[in-house]
C-alpha cells in the first residue's frame, strides 16, 4: 500500500511539474507578445516615430532576438548585444574614418581588407570554448555592426549619428525586454537549476528503489516496464549536463532574488550534478547486471535480500534527505545522522559473504556524496 | 613495449586530431571573411549599390547570422531564414493591407493585436521540442519579419516592394553562404559525426584497457593518473549526447557527398551512440569498484587475472574492430568472428568461480553491442 502511495505521489508531482512548466511557457509567450506591442508603439505613435524614425526597426529586432525564456539569459544576451554593438560600432567608425581620409580607390580596398581581417579573427574567436560559452552572441553582433558601419560609411555622411541612433533604439528594445522579463512573473534560471538538482536526487532515489524491487520481488512483465521507466529517468539524470551547464551560465547573470544571494555558489550545483551523473552511471550499469542471463539461485537471492534491501533503502533515504536539504536550503545533519547510518550499512554489507553487485558500488558513491555535502 | 607503442599511437592520433580541428577552424574563419567581403561588394561597387540600395544591409546580416561551421548547419539555418521571411512577410503584408483597408485608429489597434497574437503564438511554438529542434531559428525570423512588415506598413507606401527587395537581398546573402560553405573546403557535419562515433569506440576500448591495467598491475601513483585520464575520456563519451544530436540534425540536411549517400541512416549513429554511452556508464561505475576500500586479496586477484585479462582484451579488440568497421564502412565479420569469440569469453568467465565485478558487466554490454551491429 505504502509503495502504491509513493508511486501515486511521484506521478502527482510529475503532472504538477508538467503543468507548472506549461503555465510558465504560456506566461513567457504572453510576455514576449507584450514586449513586441510595446516596442511597436515606436512605429505606431506619431510623436515617438518622429523621434526615432526607421531606426525603430532595431528596437523590434532587439526584442525578438534578445528576449529569452530565463531572465538571466535575456540579461546576458542583451548585454552581449550592447557590448558587441558598441565595440563593433566604435571600431567600424574608426576604420571608416581612416578609409575616408585616404580616399579614392584605396579607401574601398582598406574597407575590404578590414572587413576580411576583423571578420575572420572574430569568427575564429567564436570557436574558442571559453568565448563561445559566454560571448558567442556578442562577437556575432560585433561582426555584424562592424560590417554594417564600415561599409555604410562609404555612403552615409553622418556615420556617427547613424551609429548613435541605432544604439539608442537597441537600448530602448533592451530596456523593454529587461523590464518585462524581470518584473512580470520572472522565470529565473537559478530557480530552475535549483529545482532540477533536487529533482535529480529524487529521480535517482526512485530509480534505485525501482531496481531493488525489480531484483528481489518479481519476474513478471508489468514490473519489467516499471523498471524500464525508472531507468529512463536515470538516463535523464545522465544526460543533464548540457542543460545544467547553460542554466548555471544564466544563473550567474541573475541578480539577487528570493533565496539566492549575490555570489551564490552556482558551480557547486555543477559539481553536485557531476556526482549525481556518476551515480546515475552506476545505477544504469546495474541494469546490465539485472538483464544478465547469469543470475544467482533464488535461494542465494533470498539470503542477500534483507541486508541489500536495508542498504538500498538507506541509500534511497539518504538521497531523498539530501534532496530535501537542498530544496529547503538547510544543512543536513550529515555528521550526526547520515554518515553513521551509511557506515552501518557498509558494515552490514561487508558481513554478507557473497555481496551482490548492487551493494558496494552504490554504497561507496553514496558515501562520496555524503562526504561531499 | 607493445603497450608503449600503443600509447604513442594514441597520443599521435590525438595531436593529429587537434591539429586537424585547428586547421578546420582557421579555414572556416577565412571562409567567413571571404563571404563578408563578397557581400560587402553590394555596398562598395556602384553598379550593384544602385540596384539594391540600403537593402544590402540584409545581405550582410544574412551572411553573419547564417554562416555556420558545418555545411549542413548553414543550409538548415539559411532555409529556415528564407522560409521564416517568406511566411512572416506574406502574413505581414496581409495583416497590413487589412489594417489599411479599415483605416483610422482601428488600424493601429488591429496592428497591435496582430503583433501580440502572432508573437505570443509563435513564441509558444518555439518551446515545443519538435519545433525547437528543427525550426527554432525559422520561427524567430518569422516573428521578426512579420513585425517589421506589419508596423512599417503603417509608414511605407510600397510595402510589397519593400518585402520583395529584402527577400532578394537575403537570398543573395544566402547564395553567397551556400556557395562558399559547400564549394570551398566544405566541413561536413556528417564526417564529424562519423568520425566522433569511431573515436568513441576507440576511447572506450582504451578506457577498458586502462582499467584492466590499473586493476591487475599496479598500485603506484603514476598509473593512477593514467587511469584517471582514461576515465575522463570515458566521461567525454558519456556526455556526447547533445553534440551527437545536433550533428545528426545537421547531417540530415547535407546532400549526397563522399561516402554518404542520400537517406543515409543517421539515426543509427544516434542509436549506436546511446549504446556506447551505456557502456561508458558501466565502465565509469567500475571506477567506484576500483576505488572501493574493500578489495580482494592479491592471491585472489592473481587467480582471476588471466581469464579477466583475456576477456578484457577480447572486448577491447571487439570494440576496436567495430570502430574500424564503421570507419571503413564495411560489414564486420560479426557472425563469423566476433560473436563466437565473445561467446567463448563468456564461457570462460562463467568458469571463474568467484567472478570479478569487471567481467560480466562489460561482457554482457559487449554482447549487446555485437548483436546490435
Amino acid at each position: 500500500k505504502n509503495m502504491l502511495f509513493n508511486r501515486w505521489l511521484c506521478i502527482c508531482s510529475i503532472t504538477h511539474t508538467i503543468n507548472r512548466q506549461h503555465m510558465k511557457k504560456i506566461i513567457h509567450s504572453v510576455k514576449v507578445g507584450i514586449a513586441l506591442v510595446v516596442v511597436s508603439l515606436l512605429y505606431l505613435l506619431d510623436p515617438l516615430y518622429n523621434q526615432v524614425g526607421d531606426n525603430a526597426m532595431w528596437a523590434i529586432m532587439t526584442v525578438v532576438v534578445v528576449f529569452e525564456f530565463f531572465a538571466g539569459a535575456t540579461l546576458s544576451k542583451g548585454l552581449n548585444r550592447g557590448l558587441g554593438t558598441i565595440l563593433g560600432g566604435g571600431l567600424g567608425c574608426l576604420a571608416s574614418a581612416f578609409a575616408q581620409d585616404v580616399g579614392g580607390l584605396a579607401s574601398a580596398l582598406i574597407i575590404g581588407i578590414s572587413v576580411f581581417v576583423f571578420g575572420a579573427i572574430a569568427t575564429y574567436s567564436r570557436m574558442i570554448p571559453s568565448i563561445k560559452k559566454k560571448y558567442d552572441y556578442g562577437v556575432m553582433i560585433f561582426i555584424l555592426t562592424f560590417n554594417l558601419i564600415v561599409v555604410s560609411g562609404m555612403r552615409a555622411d553622418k556615420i556617427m549619428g547613424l551609429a548613435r541612433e541605432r544604439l539608442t533604439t537597441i537600448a530602448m528594445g533592451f530596456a523593454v525586454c529587461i523590464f518585462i522579463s524581470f518584473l512580470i512573473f520572472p522565470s529565473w534560471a537559478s530557480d530552475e537549476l535549483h529545482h532540477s538538482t533536487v529533482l535529480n536526487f529524487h529521480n535517482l532515489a526512485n530509480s534505485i528503489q525501482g531496481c531493488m524491487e525489480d531484483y528481489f520481488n518479481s519476474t513478471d512483465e508489468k514490473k519489467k516496464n516499471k523498471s524500464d521507466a525508472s531507468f529512463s529517468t536515470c538516463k535523464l539524470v545522465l544526460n543533464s549536463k548540457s542543460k545544467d551547464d547553460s542554466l548555471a551560465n544564466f544563473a550567474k547573470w541573475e541578480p539577487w532574488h528570493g533565496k539566492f544571494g549575490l555570489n551564490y555558489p552556482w558551480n557547486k550545483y555543477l559539481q553536485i550534478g557531476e556526482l549525481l551523473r556518476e551515480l546515475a552511471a552506476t545505477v544504469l550499469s546495474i541494469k546490465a547486471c539485472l538483464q544478465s542471463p547469469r543470475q544467482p539461485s533464488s535461494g542465494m537471492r533470498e539470503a542477500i535480500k534483507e541486508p541489500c534491501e536495508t542498504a538500498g533503502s538507506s541509500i534511497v533515504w539518504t538521497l531523498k534527505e539530501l534532496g530535501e536539504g537542498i530544496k529547503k536550503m538547510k544543512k543536513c545533519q550529515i555528521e550526526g545522522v547520515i554518515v553513521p547510518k551509511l557506515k552501518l550499512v557498509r558494515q552490514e554489507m561487508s558481513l554478507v559473504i557473497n555481496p551482490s553487485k548492487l551493494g558496494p558500488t552504490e554504497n561507496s558513491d553514496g558515501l562520496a556524496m555524503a562526504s561531499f555535502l
Side-chain angles (χ1 to χ4, degrees), chain A:
Chain A
K1 281 282 151 63
N2 193 22
M3 213 174 76
L4 268 177
F5 181 69
N6 270 343
R7 293 258 176 229
W8 187 73
L9 267 184
C10 178
I11 290 169
C12 270
S13 82
I14 288 174
T15 46
H16 178 74
T17 312
I18 290 173
N19 270 335
R20 219 174 51 118
Q21 290 290 349
H22 193 68
M23 266 315 288
K24 275 192 173 175
K25 284 181 186 172
I26 291 178
I27 289 175
H28 173 66
S29 308
V30 171
K31 277 159 69 179
V32 172
I34 294 172
L36 286 174
V37 171
V38 169
V39 91
S40 296
L41 291 180
L42 285 178
Y43 258 98
L44 297 178
L45 300 179
D46 283 324
L48 289 176
Y49 185 75
N50 293 339
Q51 285 281 320
V52 296
D54 275 336
N55 280 318
M57 187 179 83
W58 291 94
I60 294 179
M61 224 179 267
T62 305
V63 169
V64 172
V65 175
V66 162
F67 209 127
E68 292 271 334
F69 189 76
F70 293 113
T74 309
L75 183 63
S76 109
K77 238 182 160 178
L79 289 181
N80 259 310
R81 189 177 181 105
L83 214 71
T85 309
I86 292 171
L87 269 179
L91 273 175
C93 282
L94 280 180
S96 169
F98 177 65
Q100 272 174 339
D101 266 6
V102 175
L105 200 69
S107 115
L109 202 68
I110 287 173
I111 288 175
I113 289 172
S114 70
V115 162
F116 177 80
V117 169
F118 279 92
I121 291 175
T123 305
Y124 187 80
S125 77
R126 278 181 78 184
M127 288 178 286
I128 299 167
S130 57
I131 291 181
K132 187 182 175 66
K133 196 176 152 199
K134 286 194 171 174
Y135 306 108
D136 186 53
Y137 184 67
V139 177
M140 192 177 92
I141 294 294
F142 167 82
I143 304 176
L144 179 62
T145 315
F146 178 81
N147 262 32
L148 287 182
I149 294 286
V150 92
V151 296
S152 57
M154 281 280 284
R155 304 285 169 185
D157 301 326
K158 298 166 198 157
I159 185 77
M160 289 300 287
L162 193 74
R164 211 192 49 238
E165 275 166 26
R166 273 189 198 165
L167 200 58
T168 320
T169 46
I170 288 176
M172 282 178 199
F174 182 44
V176 169
C177 285
I178 290 299
F179 190 80
I180 291 180
S181 170
F182 276 71
L183 297 185
I184 305 179
F185 297 107
S187 67
W188 305 107
S190 20
D191 280 348
E192 179 69 24
L193 180 58
H194 187 77
H195 182 250
S196 86
T197 303
V198 172
L199 199 70
N200 278 351
F201 271 99
H202 284 271
N203 278 342
L204 275 184
N206 288 332
S207 289
I208 293 174
Q209 198 159 22
C211 249
M212 305 291 287
E213 282 164 17
D214 200 49
Y215 194 67
F216 290 113
N217 293 348
S218 67
T219 40
D220 53 355
E221 269 308 298
K222 220 173 180 180
K223 294 237 171 171
K224 188 87 194 148
N225 290 340
K226 258 182 200 164
S227 90
D228 276 357
S230 74
F231 281 123
S232 73
T233 56
C234 195
K235 263 194 187 166
L236 281 185
V237 178
L238 204 60
N239 291 327
S240 59
K241 184 176 168 56
S242 57
K243 195 185 145 206
D244 279 5
D245 279 352
S246 69
L247 282 179
N249 208 3
F250 299 146
K252 282 175 196 160
W253 284 98
E254 287 174 1
W256 181 88
H257 71 276
K259 47 201 171 184
F260 308 108
L262 279 172
N263 293 323
Y264 191 77
W266 294 114
N267 284 329
K268 288 266 184 243
Y269 279 81
L270 294 184
Q271 286 164 15
I272 293 173
E274 201 62 43
L275 287 175
L276 283 176
R277 276 191 290 282
E278 267 179 40
L279 184 57
T282 308
V283 176
L284 204 64
S285 74
I286 295 170
K287 187 186 178 186
C289 297
L290 290 182
Q291 288 176 343
S292 148
R294 209 177 46 73
Q295 294 288 356
S297 66
S298 62
M300 201 119 114
R301 204 179 276 209
E302 277 307 310
I304 58 168
K305 181 174 175 178
E306 208 198 297
C308 278
E309 282 194 333
T310 323
S313 60
S314 295
I315 292 161
V316 169
W317 175 84
T318 309
L319 282 173
K320 286 193 172 166
E321 196 68 8
L322 291 175
E324 282 301 307
I326 290 181
K327 189 176 181 181
K328 289 174 187 152
M329 300 184 88
K330 65 176 187 193
K331 221 173 163 200
C332 298
Q333 295 163 296
I334 298 284
E335 296 295 329
V337 183
I338 295 179
V339 170
K341 192 160 182 177
L342 284 179
K343 273 187 182 153
L344 200 71
V345 167
R346 198 188 212 169
Q347 244 168 4
E348 265 176 30
M349 290 305 296
S350 311
L351 288 181
V352 184
I353 303 155
N354 184 19
S356 89
K357 287 154 215 149
L358 297 179
T361 23
E362 282 175 18
N363 198 357
S364 61
D365 258 9
L367 260 183
M369 286 181 46
S371 65
F372 170 76
L373 280 170

